[in-house]
Amino acid sequence: MADLSRRCVPFTPPTRKLSEMTIAIVSTAGVHLKEQEPFSKEGDDTWRHIPGDVNVADLMITHGAPEEHYDRTQAKQDINVIFPIERLHELAAQGVIGGVSERHWSLMGYSLRLQKYYNETAPAVAKEVERSSVDAVLLTAG
Amino acid sequence: MAGIPTVLITTDKESSQQQRPPRAINPEGFTWGHSLGTAGNKDLQMAVLRTALRQFEELHMPGTVRTLAFEGYKP
């Protein structure tokens, strides 16, 4: 990651107005569906797909970071503080954004294999996002 | 690869700045786990989200993290 950053900032300009953009969330906050396999707190470089029409009551968080570093108390009451899916739908209804992606991507930002995360996980997620109908991505880390 | 425009909301400006993200905002004073504020505070969450998404349409120096103040954050 440092290599890339030293060379250049990977800046991609938007091709349409915000009011026409379909937005997806890509988050490393450890969010997943209750029915999905939880992330391993020992370190995890896999990811989960979150449907755009998810009921937030079906979401939970599993993360390896200590609670005193990453406070989950607010997000457990209201997932929007780290994964603002309901707020995105409201912005779409107001016409501020064009739409909410049918799929969102969730990872857990605690991995002991950072090289693998950088070389394999992140490019694989980026490829999936690029192949979707998403125009722009909101990144959150918790 | 054409790439996808991104914007980051970060509570850790120092770490994020090192990665030189194309667009990023740091809500001033927000702590880890509170990227968009606190539970039930829809107005604050919406203000942070709208500001983040506006970065797609505003001039934003690539590689920098903008620290911005939001009212109503009580951790």
Side-chain angles (χ1 to χ4, degrees):
Chain A
M1 208 174 293
D3 285 349
L4 181 65
S5 294
R6 268 198 294 273
R7 268 184 275 141
C8 63
V9 177
F11 184 85
T12 302
T15 54
R16 47 180 71 184
K17 294 188 292 186
L18 184 58
S19 59
E20 297 171 348
M21 285 185 194
T22 297
I23 307 288
I25 302 171
V26 176
S27 175
T28 56
V31 175
H32 60 89
L33 289 167
K34 289 175 180 171
E35 65 184 36
Q36 288 173 328
E37 184 183 349
F39 293 106
S40 168
K41 291 185 176 181
E42 306 302 312
D44 202 324
D45 41 44
T46 63
W47 64 94
R48 310 283 180 270
H49 294 140
I50 310 294
D53 61 356
V54 68
N55 181 340
V56 293
D58 295 333
L59 293 172
M60 62 177 287
I61 303 166
T62 307
H63 202 292
E67 288 272 359
E68 61 266 31
H69 293 165
Y70 171 18
D71 172 27
R72 269 89 92 182
T73 56
Q74 297 297 313
K76 282 177 181 170
Q77 299 170 56
D78 182 354
I79 204 77
N80 292 286
V81 303
I82 53 164
F83 193 87
I85 187 72
E86 290 182 311
R87 299 294 86 79
L88 275 183
H89 280 291
E90 289 162 12
L91 287 181
Q94 294 168 18
V96 175
I97 61 173
V100 181
S101 174
E102 291 177 2
R103 173 179 281 185
H104 304 266
W105 286 261
S106 180
L107 305 95
M108 194 275 285
Y110 178 71
S111 172
L112 299 176
R113 297 189 291 176
L114 286 178
Q115 202 66 29
K116 182 166 188 272
Y117 212 91
Y118 176 62
N119 289 325
E120 297 177 28
T121 304
V125 170
K127 189 175 283 185
E128 285 192 6
V129 175
E130 260 202 322
R131 286 177 177 169
S132 73
S133 56
V134 168
D135 297 306
V137 164
L138 174 75
L139 300 165
T140 63
Chain B
M1 198 161 93
I4 295 266
T6 64
V7 64
L8 167 70
I9 302 173
T10 179
T11 56
D12 186 346
K13 183 173 187 175
E14 199 175 324
S15 298
S16 297
Q17 186 69 73
Q18 288 173 8
Q19 304 306 325
R20 303 175 66 205
R23 301 171 197 80
I25 67 163
N26 165 233
E28 191 171 32
F30 286 29
T31 54
W32 196 19
H34 304 173
S35 286
L36 289 97
T38 46
N41 194 340
K42 278 191 187 184
D43 290 345
L44 179 59
Q45 294 168 13
M46 197 57 111
V48 175
L49 181 57
R50 279 174 173 271
T51 301
L53 295 173
R54 256 204 318 270
Q55 306 306 309
F56 290 125
E57 298 197 316
E58 287 184 359
L59 282 177
H60 187 119
M61 179 69 79
T64 62
V65 178
R66 296 181 72 177
T67 295
L68 299 165
F70 292 91
E71 287 183 12
Y73 177 62
K74 294 190 184 78

